[in-house]
Amino acid sequence: MPTRTLLIVAHCPSENLRCLRDALITGATRSQVDIRCLFAAPLDSGADEASSADAIVLLTPENLGYMAGAMKDWFDRIYYPLLDSKQGLPCVAIIRAGHDGTGTRRAIETIITGLRWRFIQEPITLRGEWQPNWTEEMEELGEAIAVALAEGII
C-alpha cells in the first residue's frame, strides 16, 4: 500500500490549542507506521493540501458560539474545489470550547455533511477549563488515526 497522508488543519491562537495540535502530531508520528503527517494552519492552506489528504483532523476553538473564523474561511475556500473529488474523506473534528461547543459542532457537521466526508468518530468537544489529560488523549487519537490509515482501516 502506498504511503497515506494525514492532514491536521488546526487554528491555534493559544498555547493550549498548540499543545493539542502538537499532541496529535506526536501521536501520529510515534505510531511507527508508514504515513505522512502534515500540519496546516487554516489561513495558510487550501484545496491543494486537502486534496492530497487521505484523512483529515480539524482542530478549532469555539469563538462566540461558532468555529474560528480562520477555519470557516478554510472551509469556504476548499468546499467547491473538493466537493466532488474528496467524497468519503475520513475526518475527525476537535472543538476546544470554553462554553458548550454546540454551535461549533453543528456548523462543522453541516459542512462535513455537505462535502460528503465521513466522520470516523463523533466530533470531540473539549469543554470548560483546561484539562492536562487532554494532551494524552490527543496523542492517543493521533496514533489511532495514523495506524488505522496506514492499515487501510479508514
Side-chain angles (χ1 to χ4, degrees):
M1 180 177 282
T3 300
R4 315 269 321 268
T5 300
L6 173 63
L7 175 63
I8 299 171
V9 178
H11 181 59
C12 301
S14 72
E15 182 61 33
N16 288 343
L17 283 158
R18 287 187 291 276
C19 286
L20 295 174
R21 176 205 60 207
D22 293 347
L24 283 163
I25 294 168
T26 297
T29 56
R30 81 170 176 213
S31 63
Q32 303 297 312
V33 295
D34 189 22
I35 67 154
R36 248 179 43 174
C37 183
L38 302 175
F39 159 71
L43 295 176
D44 297 330
S45 66
D48 288 343
E49 291 81 5
S51 67
S52 69
D54 297 299
I56 192 162
V57 177
L58 306 164
L59 172 63
T60 185
E62 171 190 59
N63 288 344
L64 303 171
Y66 197 74
M67 74 182 87
M71 189 65 76
K72 175 62 168 75
D73 174 76
W74 182 80
F75 276 125
D76 287 344
R77 287 181 291 108
I78 64 100
Y79 192 90
Y80 288 108
L82 299 183
L83 184 57
D84 293 325
S85 63
K86 294 304 282 187
Q87 291 182 18
L89 182 69
C91 69
V92 173
I94 304 159
I95 301 158
R96 172 63 187 108
H99 298 292
D100 73 353
T102 304
T104 305
R105 179 181 174 143
R106 187 177 321 115
I108 290 172
E109 287 175 332
T110 299
I111 294 168
I112 296 303
T113 299
L115 284 165
R116 294 182 214 102
W117 293 0
R118 64 182 170 91
F119 284 110
I120 55 175
Q121 110 161 41
E122 289 292 314
I124 299 165
T125 304
L126 305 172
R127 290 182 180 86
E129 295 296 317
W130 174 259
Q131 303 295 316
N133 65 312
W134 287 343
T135 54
E136 184 178 319
E137 291 174 18
M138 292 301 105
E139 281 187 26
E140 291 171 2
L141 178 64
E143 184 174 13
I145 293 168
V147 170
L149 186 59
E151 297 297 323
I153 297 167
I154 58 170

